[in-house]
Amino acid sequence: MLQQQLTTLLAQTNIALTEKQQQQLVRYVELLTKWNKAYNLTSVRLPEEMMVKHIMDSLVVAPHLPGHHYIDVGTGPGLPGIVLAIALPNTHFVLLDSLGKRVRFLMHVKHELGLDNVTPVQSRVEEYQPSVKLDGVLSRAFASLQDMVDWCGHLIDHSGKFIALKGVFPSEELESLPTGVKFEQKIALEVPNLDAQRHLIILSKD
Ligand SMILES: C[S@@+](CC[C@H](N)C(=O)[O-])C[C@H]1O[C@@H](n2cnc3c(N)ncnc32)[C@H](O)[C@@H]1O
């Protein structure tokens, strides 16, 4: 049933996934549903709702990630990082969260899905030092753009990007960006069966 729903949703996008990738996404929703009861991972309880609000909402970011090394800051249960790691198997994602139980869940998902391209890390982002040069810092439901830039500035150099998944276009947040950072691009995202605005906001160092 979840597989059928995923197939129908994917048909409304230009994202092509193999059967294995689709099975991994379905299994991830099953794990989220199972462990949500014990770990309180997301306020979305129903798997069919997760498929739209979490899986598709994260998946539509995949075509907009050039490069091969990203960090998902405040990833929680792995959103968008786990979904993107499934969709982009040649790209590596550090999945960072300060909460131990969420990172334990991510280790379990990594193992269950055989995801070699994710590294779950428990740390406050301000204290984390990447071991490789990162192409971008991703975030979803994490912080204001200003806080994201303040807390994550040390993670990227001038070629890296800050990439935030937002709802309503964050005009006020963009007006109060810290100095040394510039707005590069906004991308309006279409999420099938989701009646809400979604934007990708891309910033870089000035
Ligand atoms: C609202 S949740 C969003 C989770 C996920 N990105 C999503 O879209 O569902 C924010 C997450 O950020 C984490 N977080 C907040 N401040 C943090 C910090 N300074 N460093 C690392 N993680 C942080 C929290 O533990 C929480 O899991």
Side-chain angles (χ1 to χ4, degrees), residues 64-132:
H64 306 290
L65 299 185
H68 293 285
H69 292 278
Y70 286 87
I71 183 168
D72 178 13
V73 293
T75 188
L79 296 163
I82 288 282
V83 177
L84 292 170
I86 291 170
L88 303 169
N90 296 322
T91 301
H92 186 270
F93 294 85
V94 173
L95 306 178
L96 183 132
D97 205 280
S98 52
L99 275 189
K101 64 179 184 176
R102 298 199 171 146
V103 176
R104 281 196 293 282
F105 172 73
L106 294 171
M107 293 301 297
H108 180 59
V109 172
K110 173 184 165 88
H111 179 72
E112 280 277 315
L113 303 187
L115 289 176
D116 295 333
N117 60 332
V118 300
T119 303
V121 173
Q122 182 186 358
S123 171
R124 288 193 64 79
V125 66
E126 303 90 317
E127 290 157 11
Y128 178 73
Q129 290 299 336
S131 55
V132 295

